[in-house]
């Protein structure tokens, strides 16, 4: 098409290392890398270093390398400081070839470097569009795999609360999935279901095998992220909860040990090994700021590092949060139960399950 920008997508630019870049201009002088929804400064720093490394390896070929941050969850001021700090460590001829472009919705902000040419702008728009489409397809595949467990969790919540059977329409509304997807999940759970003559459904027995499959992969299914405190003087959970109460946020709920005590006060739990919080996805973009207000010392935990706070992102339309007497929201029973399993509190998790089960009171 006449006037369309010429570029190549998803090709290895560096022959020796086979590094893939999102796009290369037709003349081979401009590289384009897209990062979508980066959540913290560590991710931003890694993206900048990768762009600098790629540019340095091909410094005799390229004139510009655009790092494009689409809808990052980090504020402009912090982005600029991080960018400037890393570029100050680079040689001036290398740093001059790097450009950072921050996009939020349709608004584009050039943070540093020379502004892109009209041709570069066209390429940036199309490369971002392709990256977003690729992400949407990936998320759709992932959500399809997660849909069964989301339906299972909602059915369990109603089972624990003894709220009675549900129509398929209600399940679709509460899980956010289509009729065929929910129907497929119910078919898989058929041996544990009670189906009413009016086509409403509810759990008849606890689906033990499916439940423990969910427990085995709950961190992935719930988008879990842990945060550590390396200051040497970690704040106790009571202080963090006090600050959370002051925020008056109804899209954030307490889970884990504290949430479990809300539903089963006599549960044999001593101490609070970590603070589990569930964030309803409608306000997911504010999570980094929310964490800083709770405790500025919290940082993303490395693999195997003990966590002081663990966040779980809840993406379904219905949160099932409950209000507690202390002004905080509590996560639903299933979230609290999964938290106990993740914290390796297996005896307490089994006791919690036994106390919640309708069969225990029959």
């Amino acid at each position: 098409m006449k006037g369309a920008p010429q570029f190549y997508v998803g090709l290895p630019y560096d022959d020796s290392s086979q590094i893939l870049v999102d796009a290369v201009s037709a003349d081979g002088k401009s590289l384009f890398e897209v990062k979508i929804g980066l959540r913290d400064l560590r991710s931003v720093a890694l993206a900048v270093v990768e762009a600098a490394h790629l540019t340095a390896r091909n410094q005799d070929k390229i004139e510009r390398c655009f790092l494009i941050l689409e809808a990052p969850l980090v504020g402009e001021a912090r982005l600029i400081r991080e960018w400037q700090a890393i570029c100050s460590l680079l040689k001036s001829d290398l740093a001059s070839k790097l450009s950072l472009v921050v996009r939020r919705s349709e608004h584009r902000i050039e943070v540093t470097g020379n502004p892109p040419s009209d041709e570069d702008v066209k390429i940036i728009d199309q490369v971002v569009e392709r990256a977003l489409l690729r992400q949407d397809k990936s998320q759709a595949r992932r959500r399809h795999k997660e849909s069964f467990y989301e339906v299972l969790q909602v059915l369990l919540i109603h089972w624990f609360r003894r709220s009675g059977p549900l129509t398929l329409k209600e399940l679709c509304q509460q899980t956010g999935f289509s009729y065929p997807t929910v129907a497929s999940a119910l078919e898989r759970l058929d041996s544990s279901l009670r189906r009413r003559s009016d086509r409403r459904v509810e759990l008849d027995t606890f689906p033990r095998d499916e439940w423990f499959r969910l427990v085995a992969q709950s961190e992935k299914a719930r988008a879990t992220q842990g945060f550590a405190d390396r200051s040497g003087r970690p704040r106790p959970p009571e202080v963090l909860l006090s600050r959370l109460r002051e925020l008056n946020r109804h899209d954030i709920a307490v889970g884990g040990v504290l949430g479990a005590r809300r539903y089963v006060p006599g549960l044999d739990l001593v101490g609070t090994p970590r603070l589990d919080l569930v964030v309803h996805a409608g306000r997911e973009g504010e999570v980094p700021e929310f964490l800083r207000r709770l405790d500025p010392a919290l940082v993303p935990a490395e693999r195997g590092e003990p966590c002081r706070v663990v966040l779980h992102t809840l993406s379904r339309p219905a949160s099932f949060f409950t209000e507690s007497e202390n002004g905080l929201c509590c996560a639903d029973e299933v979230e609290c139960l999964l938290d106990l399993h993740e914290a390796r509190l297996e005896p307490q998790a089994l006791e919690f399950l036994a106390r919640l089960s309708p069969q225990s009171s029959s």
Side-chain angles (χ1 to χ4, degrees):
M1 182 170 59
K2 186 176 181 180
Q6 298 298 308
F7 62 96
Y8 305 99
V9 177
L11 296 178
Y13 190 75
D14 186 324
D15 293 334
S16 62
S17 62
Q18 293 293 297
I19 296 176
L20 289 174
V21 295
D22 285 306
V24 183
S25 61
D27 60 10
K29 295 181 179 180
S30 295
L31 305 183
F32 302 84
E33 275 289 281
V34 180
K35 302 294 182 182
I36 301 173
L38 294 186
R39 302 174 63 91
D40 50 58
L41 283 179
R42 183 176 68 167
S43 301
V44 172
L46 180 60
V48 176
V49 170
E50 287 177 347
H53 175 69
L54 181 60
T55 306
R57 291 183 65 93
N58 301 279
Q59 202 161 352
D60 58 333
K61 301 179 183 179
I62 66 173
E63 298 177 357
R64 298 289 298 276
C65 178
F66 292 97
L67 174 60
I68 308 155
L69 304 185
E70 175 71 14
L73 304 181
V74 181
E76 256 72 36
R78 300 178 73 213
L79 277 175
I80 293 173
R81 286 198 299 270
E82 191 71 14
W83 172 268
Q84 291 176 339
I86 296 176
C87 286
S88 68
L89 303 176
L90 305 176
K91 294 181 179 180
S92 58
D93 57 341
L94 173 59
S96 65
K97 294 186 177 185
L98 300 175
S99 292
L100 179 66
V101 178
V102 180
R103 289 167 45 108
R104 300 184 190 274
S105 299
E106 297 302 318
H107 181 46
R108 183 179 299 107
I109 305 169
E110 182 73 18
V111 174
T112 189
N114 297 319
S117 66
D118 292 342
E119 187 75 3
D120 288 333
V121 168
K122 293 178 182 178
I123 295 177
I124 288 171
D125 288 340
Q126 292 197 25
V127 171
V128 171
E129 183 179 348
R130 287 172 180 266
L132 288 171
L133 181 61
R134 191 165 60 245
Q135 183 192 57
D136 288 343
K137 290 180 178 179
S138 175
Q139 288 179 341
R141 287 193 295 269
R142 184 170 65 251
R143 289 293 289 157
H144 179 72
K145 293 179 181 179
E146 296 170 1
S147 62
F148 170 77
Y149 293 113
E150 198 72 79
V151 173
L152 171 60
Q153 290 182 64
V154 169
L155 287 171
L156 279 169
I157 292 169
H158 286 284
W159 193 59
F160 289 147
R161 296 183 180 183
R162 300 155 173 81
S163 53
L166 298 162
T167 65
L168 261 64
K169 181 179 179 181
E170 289 171 326
L171 276 172
C172 291
Q173 291 172 339
Q174 293 173 12
T175 62
F177 294 111
S178 65
Y179 180 95
T181 300
V182 172
S184 175
L186 294 178
E187 188 68 27
R188 180 171 166 183
L189 284 166
D190 191 64
S191 62
S192 300
L193 290 180
R194 177 184 300 170
R195 295 181 182 268
R196 305 286 186 174
S197 58
D198 58 4
R199 303 183 67 181
R200 292 182 300 161
V201 297
E202 63 181 329
L203 284 175
D204 186 41
T205 60
F206 182 72
R208 183 180 181 85
D209 291 344
E210 300 295 357
W211 168 255
F212 284 105
R213 289 191 185 97
L214 169 59
V215 169
Q217 54 185 310
S218 65
E219 291 189 23
K220 289 183 179 180
R222 296 197 295 162
T224 296
Q225 185 176 13
F227 294 85
D229 186 330
R230 300 170 189 153
S231 67
R233 295 182 297 175
R235 291 176 171 82
E238 293 75 16
V239 173
L240 302 181
L241 287 174
S242 177
R243 294 182 177 183
L244 177 61
R245 189 179 297 109
E246 292 173 359
L247 296 180
N248 193 31
R249 293 277 294 267
H250 297 284
D251 58 336
I252 301 172
V254 179
V257 170
L258 296 174
R261 288 187 181 133
R262 160 70 171 76
Y263 295 106
V264 182
L267 197 62
D268 182 19
L269 289 166
V270 179
T272 306
R274 71 185 197 187
L275 178 60
D276 285 89
L277 298 175
V278 180
V279 183
H280 201 216
R283 300 281 289 277
E284 185 178 358
E286 296 186 18
V287 170
E289 178 60 28
F290 147 70
L291 276 181
R292 287 194 296 273
R293 295 178 68 179
L294 278 190
D295 187 351
L298 290 172
V299 295
E302 302 290 345
R303 183 179 295 275
E305 184 176 11
C307 298
R308 300 294 299 178
V309 175
V310 179
L311 292 185
H312 311 283
T313 300
L314 191 65
S315 58
R316 65 173 179 253
S319 71
F320 293 104
F321 292 168
T322 60
E323 295 283 349
S324 64
E325 61 280 357
N326 59 8
L328 294 171
C329 291
C330 281
D332 67 72
E333 298 90 333
V334 176
E335 289 290 328
C336 294
L337 182 54
L338 288 170
D339 291 342
L340 295 179
H341 280 292
E342 285 184 15
R344 304 295 186 266
L345 299 173
E346 301 297 343
Q348 292 85 350
L350 294 176
E351 180 188 355
F352 186 58
L353 174 59
R355 298 277 293 276
L356 287 174
S357 173
Q359 296 169 342
S360 66
S361 58
S362 58

